[in-house]
């Protein structure tokens, strides 16, 4: 089977910095760097910090995935697409959007990066 990459998600260094929500006892800050959106989370809380999906959210968007500098991903939870942010510093490089949540699982199961998608709708 041949797979063609039609999806080129935007790099976060070209967008406004996103800042996670931080509960009492934690702080979160963000800034744009040459590598992407650098997020710093400090403190401790059972809730942790949460990164919300981009706004405005495109119609039909079922899931968002934030690609990290190291190539791994933060995958939004199914109901509201937020991701939990651990304490520390991380750089997010790309924002990937999917109109079908099952596509995230399919791509992971076949070992493809989540920047692949079946359509070319840049979220």
């Amino acid at each position: 089977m041949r797979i063609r990459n039609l999806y080129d998600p935007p790099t976060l260094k070209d967008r406004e910095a996103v800042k996670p929500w931080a509960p009492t006892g934690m702080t979160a800050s963000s800034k744009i760097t040459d590598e992407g959106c650098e997020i710093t989370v400090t403190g401790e809380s059972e809730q942790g910090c949460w990164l919300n999906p981009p706004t405005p959210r495109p119609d039909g968007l079922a899931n968002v995935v934030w690609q990290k500098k190291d190539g791994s991903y933060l995958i939004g939870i199914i109901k509201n697409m937020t991701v939990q942010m651990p304490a520390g510093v991380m750089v997010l490089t790309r924002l990937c959007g999917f109109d079908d949540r099952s596509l995230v699982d399919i791509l992971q199961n076949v070992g493809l990066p989540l920047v692949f998608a079946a359509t070319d709708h840049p979220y």
Side-chain angles (χ1 to χ4, degrees):
M1 178 168 102
R2 187 172 167 207
I3 296 174
R4 185 173 154 206
N5 184 4
L6 299 175
Y7 187 54
D8 186 21
T11 58
L12 293 176
K13 67 181 180 177
D14 300 325
R15 297 175 57 102
E16 188 175 324
V18 292
K19 183 178 174 185
W21 171 85
T24 302
M26 297 190 83
T27 61
S29 62
S30 61
K31 65 182 179 181
I32 297 299
T33 68
D34 289 341
E35 296 173 322
C37 181
E38 181 180 292
I39 296 177
T40 303
V41 174
T42 60
E44 287 188 30
S45 170
E46 286 184 23
Q47 291 177 310
C49 288
W50 293 90
L51 183 60
N52 295 314
T55 55
R57 191 179 323 174
D59 291 338
L61 183 63
N63 202 255
V64 293
V65 174
W66 304 87
Q67 186 177 26
K68 295 171 30 178
K69 179 183 171 187
D70 67 5
S72 64
Y73 301 95
L74 296 173
I75 300 172
I77 59 177
I78 295 170
K79 291 185 180 177
N80 61 8
M81 294 186 268
T82 59
V83 293
Q84 193 166 21
M85 301 289 295
V89 177
M90 74 176 63
V91 176
L92 304 177
T93 57
R94 289 185 183 257
L95 170 64
C96 311
F98 298 93
D99 60 4
D100 181 350
R101 172 62 177 99
S102 64
L103 183 57
V104 174
D105 295 329
I106 291 169
L107 292 173
Q108 285 186 311
N109 289 340
V110 296
L112 289 174
L114 298 182
V115 295
F116 277 79
T119 60
D120 61 353
H121 299 291
Y123 291 107

